[in-house]
Amino acid sequence: DCLLSRGLGDVYKRQMENIKKIISWPVILGIQVITTVLLLFFIFKLNILPTTYAVMVGMIFVLLGFINYALMKPNKKEHHHKTKPREIVGKVISLLLSVLMVFGSVMINKGYSTLDDITNSNTKSAHYAIVVLKSSKINSLSELQNESIEYCLQYDKEKDMNQVIAEAKKKESSLNFDVAMTYSKLGDDLYNNTVNAILINTAYNGMFEDNHPDFQNEVKEIWTSDIETKVKDFSTRVSVTNTPFIIYISGIDTYGSITTVSRSDVNMIVTVNPNTKKILLTSIPRDYYVTLANMKKKDKLTHSGIDGPENTVKTMAQFLGTDINYYARVNFTSLVTMVDALGGITVNVDRDFSAGGYTYKLGLQQMNGKEALAYSRERYSFADGDNVRVKHQQDVLMTMLNKMMSPAVITNYSSVLKAISGCFETNMASSDITDLIKMQINDNASWTFKQKQFTGTGVMQTGGAYMPDSKLYYMIPNDDSVKENLQAIKDVLNGK
C-alpha cells in the first residue's frame, strides 16, 4: 500500500510539474508573442492601415507584451514557489489578449479572402434551362421521355448549346432536340403547345417579350446547366489614390449568381477624382439607343449585357469617347444584402408614394435592404417613370457610398465584405480597394457628390440589333444632353 501510495504521489507530482510548466509565464508570454506576430502579419498583408497607424498598432502590441512581462515575471527577491496575485492577473490578461488576437487574425484573413473573391473578376457564366409553362404538370426531365425539346441558335454559340444538350441527354437519354430558327417561333411553339418544353439561355429571356410580355413569370425551370468561361481582363488600371478614374456600374435584372450573363438594367457611370474628392454619378437609361460593340448596330443599351459585362463597358466607352477604367456589377439580390450589411441607409425621399408594399414619405427616411430595393425599382407610380427611377437609384447609391466611407463602416469592413460576397463583383484589384480604404482612413476627407443623367425621347420602332423585326420601345439620345453629360465627366476628370 505504501509503495502504491508513493507511486501515485510521484505521478501526481510529475503531472503538477508539467501543468506548472505549461502555465508558466515564459510559455504564456510566448503564446502572446506568437499571436501578436500573426495578427500583425495579417494586418500588414491586408494593407488598409496607413503606415503611421500600422506603426502605432505595432507599438501598442509591443507595449502590451512588456506590461504583461513585468506583471508575470517573478521578482528575484520573491520566493519562486509562491504565485503572486499580479502574476495571475498578468497571465489572465495575456491569455485573453492571445485569444482576441487569434480571433482578429481569423476575421482579417476572412475579409482578405472575401476581398480577393469579389475583385479581379475574370469569369462569366451562361445559365441554360429547360423550361415548361407554369401551368404544365411536367416537373422533371424524366416526364419528357421521347418528347422533342426545341432550342434556338439565333445568338447562342453552337458549341455551348451542344455541350448543354449532351448534359441533358446524360440525365435522360430518350430526349430529342429540334432547332427553331428564331426566338419568336421558339416562344410561340411553347405557348401553342407545339412542344412541351424549350431549352433557352436565360440571358435572352427578353427576346420572348414582344409576343409574350410576361414570359419570365409564366414559365418554370425543370433542369438547368451553367457554362462558365474566362474573360480577358479589360480594365484600364491607374493609381486610384492620385489619378482620376471611371467605374461603370451595371445592375443586372436577375437574382442569384452575380456571374450570370444578363441584361444590364441599371447603368451608371461613376467618375471619381481622388485629388479634388469629387464623385459624379451619371445614369444612362436602360433603353438608350446606342451602337452595341459586339453587333456593330444600334439597340437598347440593356441588351449589351447579354454578351457579358465587357461588352457593356466597351459599348459605353465608345459612346462616351473615353476610357472606362473599371466596372462593378451588382444584381437585385445584392442591393438588399449590401444595404442590410451597412445597417440600413437614410434616404432623402423626394415625394410621397407607395411601392412593393412599402410607403415612402417626403423627407429623410431610414430604409432596410428590401425597402431600398423597392424604392429603386419603382417607376409606374410616376408620370416620368424611368427618369424618376434612375434618380432614386442614384440617391440610394450615393447614400450607400457616403455610409461606406464613414469610419464606423471602414473599421467593420470584414462583415460588410462577407455580406456582399457572391452578389457583387468588380475587375478592380484588391490592392485598389485597400488603397482607397487606406487613403480614406488617413485623411478622413469629405467627398462632394453630384448627380446627372442622360435624357432622350421615347419612341416605338423596329430595327434593333437583337430583335430587328419587333416593334419595341427605345429612347433616342438627346444631343444636348449627351454633350452636357460628356462635358461634366471631363470636368471631374480634369479637376474642375
Side-chain angles (χ1 to χ4, degrees), residues 238-495:
V238 296
S239 177
V240 294
T241 56
N242 53 39
T243 306
F245 60 94
I246 294 176
I247 306 174
Y248 189 89
I249 295 182
S250 172
I252 59 175
D253 66 342
T254 185
Y255 288 87
S257 173
I258 189 62
T259 59
T260 303
V261 171
S262 180
R263 290 175 295 180
S264 183
D265 214 41
V266 177
N267 301 275
M268 205 174 292
I269 301 288
V270 182
T271 310
V272 182
N273 191 320
N275 302 315
T276 59
K277 305 297 181 186
K278 288 185 178 178
I279 294 178
L280 171 65
L281 307 179
T282 311
S283 292
I284 307 151
R286 65 190 295 277
D287 297 317
Y288 231 43
Y289 198 52
V290 296
T291 302
L292 303 189
N294 63 328
M295 304 288 280
K296 312 299 183 194
K297 294 180 180 178
K298 290 196 171 185
D299 204 333
K300 298 184 181 198
L301 173 58
T302 186
H303 286 167
S304 66
I306 291 172
D307 200 42
E310 69 277 18
N311 186 55
T312 301
V313 169
K314 193 172 181 181
T315 296
M316 284 315 304
Q318 291 175 358
F319 178 74
L320 298 173
T322 186
D323 284 339
I324 292 176
N325 304 95
Y326 308 103
Y327 89 92
R329 200 164 186 243
V330 297
N331 58 19
F332 289 144
T333 308
S334 59
L335 180 63
V336 175
T337 310
M338 290 168 72
V339 170
D340 287 340
L342 290 168
I345 56 175
T346 302
V347 179
N348 193 3
V349 178
D350 60 358
R351 67 196 73 199
D352 294 344
F353 69 97
S354 296
Y358 303 105
T359 300
Y360 303 95
K361 296 289 184 182
L362 180 68
L364 295 174
Q365 185 167 334
Q366 177 74 11
M367 297 184 192
N368 62 26
K370 289 182 178 179
E371 289 168 334
L373 175 61
Y375 184 79
S376 301
R377 294 185 73 179
E378 180 58 28
R379 58 175 170 162
Y380 297 111
S381 298
F382 322 115
D384 197 9
D386 276 332
N387 288 328
V388 175
R389 179 170 65 168
V390 166
K391 168 71 166 55
H392 288 174
Q393 288 166 355
Q394 285 188 344
D395 290 342
V396 168
L397 178 61
M398 185 177 69
T399 306
M400 289 173 68
L401 286 171
N402 259 323
K403 192 160 187 181
M404 284 178 181
M405 290 174 183
S406 67
V409 172
I410 288 172
T411 53
N412 194 33
Y413 83 98
S414 59
S415 60
V416 175
L417 287 178
K418 183 181 177 183
I420 65 175
S421 178
C423 53
F424 174 88
E425 68 173 10
T426 178
N427 61 356
M428 294 183 83
S430 56
S431 59
D432 293 329
I433 305 290
T434 55
D435 283 348
L436 287 170
I437 294 173
K438 186 160 58 173
M439 177 186 71
Q440 188 63 23
I441 292 174
N442 195 43
D443 58 28
N444 195 26
S446 296
W447 290 69
T448 301
F449 289 85
K450 189 174 180 181
Q451 299 169 255
K452 292 186 72 66
Q453 70 182 82
F454 286 83
T455 61
T457 305
V459 298
M460 296 293 294
Q461 65 179 33
T462 58
Y466 274 104
M467 302 172 70
D469 299 323
S470 298
K471 195 169 188 178
L472 302 174
Y473 176 86
Y474 299 92
M475 183 173 284
I476 308 302
N478 177 287
D479 288 341
D480 289 338
S481 172
V482 172
K483 288 177 184 176
E484 179 187 329
N485 280 284
L486 292 182
Q487 188 59 50
I489 290 171
K490 287 177 183 176
D491 286 346
V492 173
L493 291 174
N494 295 329

Side-chain angles (χ1 to χ4, degrees), residues 100-119:
L100 287 173
M101 283 188 274
V102 168
F103 178 75
S105 297
V106 171
M107 294 305 295
I108 290 173
N109 194 44
K110 279 185 178 179
Y112 182 85
S113 299
T114 305
L115 187 61
D116 212 37
D117 287 340
I118 66 174
T119 55

